[in-house]
Every structure is written in structure tokens, then in C-alpha cells.
Amino acid sequence: MEVLAAISLAGNIIQFVDFSGKLISKTAEIRKSGTGALAENINIETATNDLALLSTKLHDSANSAGDTALQELCQSCNTIATELLTVLDSVKVHGGQNKWKSFRKALRSVWSKEDIALLEQRLARFRDELNLRVAIDLRSVVEMAVTGSADNVSDRERVIQVNEEQSGRLNDLDLNTKNLIDTIVRQKDVFEKAHMILQRQHLEKLMVAAAAPFNSYDRRKDSDCIQNTRVGLLQEIRGWADGNDKRPIYWLKGLAGTGKSTIARTIARYYHDRRRLAASFFFSKDIGGDVRDARKFFTTIAAQLARASDPLGNHICNAINQKSDVVNQAPREQWRQLILEPLLKLQSRTLPLSLVLVVDALDECEDEDDIRAIVNLLSEARLLRTVRLRILITSRPEIPIRQSFDKVPDTEHHDFVLHDISRSIVDHDIRVFIEYHFGVIREKRMFDLEWPSRETVRALVKHASGLFIWAATACRFIKDGGRFTEERLSTILGGDISTTAPEKGLDTIYLKVLQSSIYADFGEHETNKHCSTLREALGAIVTLFASLSIDSLAKLVDITAKDIDENLGDLHAILDIRKDTHLPIRLHHPSFRDFLLNRKRCDDPRFWVDESIAHGLMANNCIDLLSAELRRDICGLHEPGAIARDVSDQKIENFLSTALQYACRYWVQHLKRSDAQLEDNCKTYNFLRQHLLHWFEALSLLGKISEAVLAIQVLEDMIDAKKSPNLHAFIYDSKRFILYNRSIIEQAPLQTYCSALMFTPEESIVRKQFENHIPSWICKKPRVQAKWNATLQTLEGHLSGVSSVAFSPDGKLVASGSYDKTVRLWDTSTGVQLQTLEGHLDEVYSVAFSPDGKLVASGSYDKTVRLWDTSTGVQLQTLDGHLIGVNSVAFSPDGKLVTSGSGDKTVRLWDTSTAVQLQTLEGHLNGVNSVAFSPDGKLVTSGSLDKTVRLWDTSTGVQLQTLEGHLDGVNSVAFSPDGKLVASGSGDKTVKLWDTSTGVQLQTLDSHLDGVNSVAFSPDGKLVASGSYDKTVRLWDTVTGAALQTLERGITTGTLSFSASGQYLITDRGVLGVSSLQLSPDPLEQLRALFVSNDWVVEEGANILWLPPNYRATCVAVRDGMVALGHLSGGMSFLELQVGLKTV
């Protein structure tokens, strides 16, 4: 044989084994873990082609090499190649277009775990055998080939020479084999590093509040605790974080100015230096923007965690990769998927024993609901086991925060009241603080070593009244006095300190600082002008929703940057003013805002700021700036398809100044807080008629188009439609426009003038107003509808069909249950998905709100009922005990109990607050389809496939009655309002009425042509309604059993209930009118007969709105004029229909 051919064959085998091993490893990882990260690296077509080429090379080189052992190994490799090619071909057929989901599904369908394991074992064996065969078999081949041709001495010498040459080649082969393996290992390391870099790019999707960390640039001047101050408290906090205390949260609460933020900063730096700081988030209304609310709270923490630990970062990146829209979801989703679950996946050896998260000034978060959600969710840190997360929260003891902690068990949080520390300890720390800063002043001014005297320091400590912010403000005020340092010290010491109220002392020093800005040589006119300018500038600063620089502020107030700078020049004690006028102005402490806006505290009228007037001035100034600078294609993109995310930050800053960006985002908020009255032809109306689309374009460029939706709704709420019909109509049409076109405007700003306008209905007010903005290159416009249809927007969210929807009692929320195992909560006014309630392990078939709307119950085929908090999305209880899927759930009238019926033949009663199973009601011989409470909550009735209805005592669990008579399973049961009757609907096509006290069958109602699936009593108990698979709803007289009315709607209704007046039937397909029965009308009842029957919305029996195929519903809920449609696609649609005659 040819030795080089054998060597070539060995090299091909090595290449094949390496390639196949990697391919199997990658596909096995995808199949096993469901991680999508590697899917991009496996192109099925390419993998198939490469594997086929390697197989061909193996076959060709095997034919040219004469070594039997190597040829056998080659044949084994070819067998593996055939198997792999078969798998890849199957994946191509089943997978379709290399999409990740289908690829993974196809892998699972054609390749079992056992097959993969065996293949990996065979490859490992080939790899072990390969070097041995190369070393032994090739040597024997060489020796036979050479010695077999040696007939004389010279030939033998030649044989020895060739043998030595070939031996050298074999040694080279061994070395090359080693080098090849080393190269593969190095390439693997490079691949893993590259893969990590690609993974880390997912972090860029996280919306981060840059000013949130304790050591952010915006906080570079904020100080830590001075040495020898707060010693005991800092030791206690570190002991809690490092010790065995099982409480995950330490709540440090205190009055304004007591030093909470300084303590939080000190703790954050301590653990940061020791690489144990998980993250920090310091809220601030002063810095504003992203740190005055919680929209970026959890994403910011997740980003910091990811950078603090590579293993944790990988888990977070995987979470983003698997569900990229999590960054836009509700706080609960972000907390669970980006923080809690990644921490749960960590092994204890990958991080220190405990990590510390610092959340400062939680009271500075503007949204009370966000505050409650943060406290509630962070308390779930108790679930962590391998890695401990210790959370330090500081705040004022405001009511929303106190209420939130009241709901957290004492075993899960530690409270410390900062202002309750012994006054002597606080005074000591303030004395150390003052002595430190006066030492700096003494050195700078070259005062005598005895300055200030001990008596002076004691007096200053007394003035501080326990407030560090007083001491800090006083030190800054004196330090900035220059040659008037001692005079300023005397001014402060001259104040009245007889009061013990800390707030009063703080007010006094704030007022002294403001008054010191009025120079003695000012005349009356100059003083008035100075105070007026100062009040306007300060009014703007303390009412801003995000901090601005002097230059930006000057664009929003009628004052030059120079005048602002000069008027604020003496206020460094209370304002952080930078030399660079492009940097934002900040309050040293939020208590100054409280002081300036409170007329009783700021008792000098020259400085007091009327908050409403200040907001009004800012709103007007914002509108003026927007009117002057907004224009079409403001960034000069030119291309109509330009994508917002591709526009660089630098370009946006070049064309949209910081002041203009601020005005775009916050002008409506200022307007709302000004208590302005909006009327036709007002400044706001004229601005919107000119610049509405320009404003939408700008917000799109800023990535804030969702704020436009909320702003338009705020404006709509501010307008009296009767007094300002034109403005109200314009705003309403603007709302329809932005809701309908939000998706495309968000992606491509210039499509505001193209697609959005062109496909807007022809009679839309917005379209008529801005028709001339449609580009002239669109020569022939498509025919569009004349008016807006009733669809406000379609909500995509579920990953599978929607099985059930329900309105909350107040109509503000909709809950949807789905086959994707989740329940989702939606805001009916904005269409925003508020919560995804995940936890069920199988399909969800029913959802229901508690009577007070605070809970949602969901029943699933995973054998559980789950209770959820509607405000936070937190899963409060899992009611676990059924052995088969839950078919029916119901709340008791007071909401304290839930009953559930299951295929396991039982009915169970649960306490909603504790999840304790109070009763297991056994007796049915088959699955339970329906359960209901009596009006007084003392009885539960259940209908079963065993053809019986049973009555149970809720307190004892005793079976009181067995109601027998149906010839088929019972699908639905209901109590009469007085609790004396039970109605049951059965697959035997009948409805039966029973006496609850005796169990006697009173009536059999038998006109249906198919099984009865729902029953309900009217409020007065005189009627019973029944819905059937025969697609009718029938009304019966409960006394005589007479059939009174048949409502034929061409579709089966699954649930029935009467309205309060009895004039309407509320079903899972809408609302049906029963007014033909001459019932007394209720003028307060706002219901209308809106019903969805296949492809039509029906009102009062007349078809009024046709639903296109993609809008047809699998389930429906109706409240007032709002119709919620659940679709097979997993989407939700809301229709809002006005009252009145419908004409075309």
C-alpha cells in the first residue's frame, strides 16, 4: 500500500470524527436544553453538504489505502455519516427553513436521547482507537512493504533507510495528530469566547438607567459616611448581610435629611470593593428621567448582575435570547425571568455566599403601584437557596411603602427606624461630620487652629436637630462664603433654635441661603427682578421630570443662560451647579423641593413656588419650543424605510436638543399638573393641528412612542367633550391613529407620513388635517375604509389559542386564559399587557375574578387552581390536591373561599388567603363538571358525569342531598337568588329544578334539541335561562315550567348569567337582550345587547359589524360597549362600540 495514502486516510478520519463530534454535541445540546443560542450556528443545509463531502473523502481515500484495519475504521465512520445524514435530511423535511422552534421540534421527533448517547460513545471509541491504529498498523504496513522486497544487503540497507524515513513520517504523523487536537481545542476556546461575546450582545437589549448605580457619573459628588460616624448602624447592616439572619430584606426608614442615602452609598461601596455587590439602584426625582420611576428598575439590576458574574450573565443572556420581549413586559416578568430564575440556576460555588442589592430612596419612585410591586417581588428573594441575596432598601416611611411592607411577613424583612436612634449618637456623628468639613474650610481660609470653637460646633449640632442634611447644607453655605465665611457662620448661629422640630430648622437654613442671594446694594427694583427671576428658575428646576443643564433650561424658560447662572450663583449650598453649563443642575437633597412648594414652610412670598403655576409655565414653554423646532424628517433621514434603531444617538442629539427631547416627552405631564382648561382653538389644539405627526416622529426616534399613547389619553381625559367638541374629536381621532399605527411608527419614523397616513380611513380627522404630508411619489393611493372600525388594537401575547376571557368587576382589566398554559392581564384602555401569570403546567381553560376584583382564579388541566394578585401579578396560592384536571372553579360571595370540581370525582373547598384545603367532598361516581355556591355561601352544589347533582354543607363537608333523575351527565348547576332552588342542565337535553331543602324534583324543562351546557336564574328567581348545544338560549318560568322565549343565535354559548335588572343575559359570546318579556327597565343599567355570533357582532338582534377571518373569536367577553375577543392565534382584540342607532 501507499504509506502516504494511509496517512491521508488517517487524517480524513480525524477530521470526520472531530466534525461529527461537534455536530452531535451541538444538536444534542439544542435538543436537550431548548437553548436557542446555538441554533444560529447550525445551518442544516451547510452541515449536510459538509458531512457528505467528508464521507466522500473517506470513501475515496479508503479505496486507495491498503490497510485493512484503517479501512474497517473508515467503514464504521461511513456508517455514522449515513446515520447523521439521515437525521439531517429528516430535520430538513420536518423543520422547514431552519427556524429554531421547528429545528428543535424536528430533532426531538427523529432522534431519541438514547440514539445520541450511543453515537457519542461510538465516536469516543473511534477517537481512542485512532492514534493506536495509526501507530501500530501503519508501522506494520511499512515494514511488510519494505522488507518483502529486500533480496540482498544493498536492498536491506535501502529498506532500513526507507524504514527510517517512514518512521520519521509516522512520528510526524503522531505529532501532527497532537497538533491537530491542540488546534481543535484552541478553536473550541476561540469559539466559546466568540459565543460569549455574541451572548453578551443580548445585554444591549436591556433598558438601563445610567444614573441608577451608586457610583454613576451623575452621583460622583455624593459622599459616603465620614469615618467614625454611623459606626453601630453600619456594623449592624453588615452583620445582617454577612451573618445567619434569614430575613432577605433590611428596610432602613427615616425622615428626610437623616442620612439614609449616605448610609446606602457607604454599604454599596463596601460590598462593591469586596466584589459582593449584586447591584444598586438609587431613585431620584431630582436627576429624573429613568430614576424617578421603575420602568428600568429590574432591567438595570439585571444588567449589573450580568456584569458582576460571568455564570450569572450567561443565564441572563439566555433568558433574553429565549424571550426577547421580556424587556418590555411587566415588572413581575422581568424580575422572575431576568433575576430570580438566573439566580436559582446558579451553583453555590460560582458566586460568594451572599450578594447585596442596595435600593435607595424608594419613596422617590413616583408610581405607588411600582413601589408596591418592587417590595412584593423583592421579598421573593427568600426562595433562593444556593446563593443568598440580601436587599437593603432605604426610604422615608411613606404610606405606600409602609402598606407594602405590612403585607410582607416579619420573618422576611428587618426594619430599622433611622430617626429613632439615640439623639446622643446622632449628635456625635453630626459633630464629627461638622468638624471634618470645618477642617477643610479652616485649611482653605487659613484660619486659626482653634477655629471654630467647641461652643460653635455644639451650637451647630443643636441647630441640626438630628438632620444630616441641615449640617451638610450649613457646611456648603459657609464654605461658599469666601471672605464672608465667618459672617455666614454668624448668620446661621443667629437663627432661632428654640424649636425641637427638625423640619423647622431645615426650613430656616434654606430660607437663609435664598435670602443671602439678595445683595445689600440691590435697590428695590433690582431685588424684585432678582427674586422674580430666581423664583421662575427654581420653579422650573423643582418641577422638572428630569434634570436639565443651565443651557437646556434656558431654552425652556424666558431667561437667558447667563441670567440663570448669575441668579443661581449663590445657591451652591442647596443646588449642585456645575461649571460646565451643559451638565445638569441637581438638588443636593429632595427636601428643598418639599420646602419650596409648601407655602407654610417657605413663608417668604418672594421665593415660594406655586406648583400649579410653575407646571403651567413649563407646559407653555415646552409647546413654544416644540412649535419652533419640530419639523418633518427632523434628522434628515430622507429614506422612508429608515429604521429608528439604526439612527445613531449622535445624530439624534445633533437634531433634537436635550431641551427639545425633554419637551417632547413631558409637555403633557406639565399640562396635566397645571390644572389647565383645554378648549377649542386653545394653544394646545393649535399646536397639535400643526405638529401632531412631527411629535410622533420625534418620539419614535427617541424610542418613546408608547409615551405618545399615554399622553393622548391624558389629554382626552382633560377635555370636556360638550364644551370643546372640536378639540375632543381631534384628540379622539389622534388616539385611534396612534393605536392603529403604533407598530409601524415605532419601527420606521418616516412611515408616519407614508403607510400610517395612507391606510388611515379617508374621513379620519388626522388624515384630513395632514393629507398633504403623504409623499407625492405615491401616485395612486389604495382604496381604504371611510371611517374607523371598532377595533382599537389587536393584542398579541399568547403563544397558543385563547380559551377564556373575563372582565374585572370595574371593567378596567381583562384576563385571558390560554392553551399556552398562561393567564394574561390586559389594560382595556391602553391595550397594554400588564401581567403574564405563569405557573400552570398544562392548558388553562377558565379564568374568573373575585368579587372585589383583587384576585384572579385560573383552573387548569395540570390538576391545580391558582390564585393571582391582579395588581402585582404575583401567584398568591396554588391550590393543589386534585388528582385529575380541574373542570370548574367558583368564588364564594364574600371571596374568602374557592370551590373546584375535578375529573377526579371530588369537589374541594379552599381558603383563598391561606390555600388550606378546608373540605374534600367525596361521593360522585364520575368527574365533576360544574360547581356553585349558594347566595349565603353555606351550600355548594355540584353537577357530575355520574348524572347526579349533589348538595354539600360548606362548613362540615357533609353531603345533604343527592338529586337523581338526569339520564346523562350534568354540565351546569346554579342556585336561585333565595337559595331555595337549584337548576341543573344535562346532556340529556333537559333542565331540572330541585328543592334544596327536600331534594324533590319540581320541574323538568325539555324543549332543547341537544345537550344543555349552561343554566342561570334571573335576579328575582322567576326565570331560569338555559344554553344548549342546539345553539339556542331558552327562558323558562320557574313556577309553571313554561317555555317563555327562545333566542336563536346560531352559536353555542358556554356560560350564562343575568344582569342586575334581569333585562340582559351575559354569556361567553356577549350580551343578549330579553326585554321582550316586559321586564321593568333599570335606568342605571348600562348594558347593551352585544353578541358575537360567528362572523358578526350583533346588537339588539341586528347584525352591525362583520369580523374578518383573522378577527373571529374563540371566546368573547362584553362589558358596556367594550367587546374583548380571544383568537385562536393567541391574540386579543378589543372593540369599542358607541350607543345609538347604527346606520351606514
Side-chain angles (χ1 to χ4, degrees), residues 983-1041:
S984 58
S986 168
D988 65 6
K989 311 177 188 179
T990 70
V991 176
K992 293 181 183 287
L993 302 181
W994 315 80
D995 185 309
T996 57
S997 61
T998 64
V1000 172
Q1001 179 181 314
L1002 302 176
Q1003 300 285 353
T1004 298
L1005 316 177
D1006 60 357
S1007 295
H1008 280 295
L1009 304 178
D1010 206 338
V1012 177
N1013 61 348
S1014 54
V1015 291
F1017 281 92
S1018 62
D1020 60 6
K1022 295 180 180 180
L1023 303 178
V1024 69
S1026 57
S1028 167
Y1029 294 112
D1030 66 7
K1031 302 181 181 179
T1032 69
V1033 174
R1034 300 180 189 247
L1035 298 175
W1036 317 81
D1037 186 305
T1038 57
V1039 176
T1040 65

Side-chain angles (χ1 to χ4, degrees), residues 497-568:
I497 59 173
S498 59
T499 178
T500 58
E503 187 180 86
K504 184 63 177 176
L506 190 59
D507 295 347
T508 300
I509 194 170
Y510 281 149
L511 200 56
K512 286 184 181 295
V513 173
L514 291 172
Q515 291 170 343
S516 71
S517 68
I518 304 174
Y519 293 172
D521 56 355
F522 278 3
E524 182 179 354
H525 173 73
E526 292 169 328
T527 298
N528 291 337
K529 183 178 180 180
H530 168 77
C531 291
S532 175
T533 302
L534 189 61
R535 184 172 59 249
E536 184 175 353
L538 289 175
I541 290 170
V542 299
T543 55
L544 287 174
F545 293 98
S547 297
L548 293 175
S549 67
I550 288 177
D551 288 346
S552 295
L553 187 63
K555 291 185 176 183
L556 288 171
V557 295
D558 192 19
I559 312 173
T560 65
K562 180 181 178 182
D563 285 345
I564 293 176
D565 193 29
E566 289 179 351
N567 278 271
L568 300 181

Side-chain angles (χ1 to χ4, degrees), residues 173-230:
L173 175 62
D174 290 341
L175 179 61
N176 288 334
T177 302
K178 181 179 181 299
N179 289 338
L180 177 61
I181 294 171
D182 290 341
T183 299
I184 292 171
V185 171
R186 286 195 299 273
Q187 288 176 343
K188 178 175 178 291
D189 293 339
V190 170
F191 173 80
E192 288 177 348
K193 289 178 181 177
H195 178 61
M196 179 175 291
I197 293 172
L198 291 173
Q199 278 280 80
R200 290 295 167 137
Q201 289 179 352
H202 291 302
L203 295 179
E204 296 177 3
K205 297 178 182 178
L206 294 176
M207 295 182 292
V208 174
F214 82 97
N215 55 355
S216 67
Y217 180 83
D218 289 293
R219 304 179 186 277
R220 65 192 183 282
K221 290 189 176 182
D222 297 344
S223 60
D224 298 348
C225 294
I226 292 174
Q227 190 173 4
N228 297 324
T229 63
R230 302 298 199 187

Side-chain angles (χ1 to χ4, degrees), residues 789-793 1090 1092 1097 1105 1107 1111 1121-1125 1133-1137:
N789 60 31
T791 304
L792 293 177
Q793 55 188 322
L1090 285 173
V1092 179
V1097 176
L1105 184 67
L1107 298 175
Y1111 284 97
M1122 185 74 75
V1123 182
L1125 306 171
S1133 295
F1134 291 138
L1135 312 179
E1136 188 174 14
L1137 304 174

Side-chain angles (χ1 to χ4, degrees), residues 115-176:
D115 292 338
I116 294 174
L118 290 173
L119 205 54
E120 287 180 321
Q121 291 173 9
R122 288 160 64 190
L123 275 175
R125 188 171 67 251
F126 294 160
R127 197 176 286 113
D128 294 338
E129 294 176 359
L130 185 57
N131 278 336
L132 181 62
R133 293 211 175 182
V134 168
I136 297 175
D137 295 343
L138 284 183
R139 286 183 187 277
S140 63
V141 169
V142 171
E143 290 173 2
M144 286 189 296
V146 175
T147 56
S149 61
D151 295 330
N152 51 49
V153 175
S154 60
D155 288 338
R156 289 192 179 92
E157 290 176 353
R158 177 61 181 157
V159 166
I160 293 171
Q161 180 182 354
V162 171
N163 191 27
E164 288 175 352
E165 291 175 357
Q166 300 294 5
S167 297
R169 289 182 180 180
L170 289 172
N171 291 331
D172 289 341
L173 175 62
D174 290 341
L175 179 61
N176 288 334

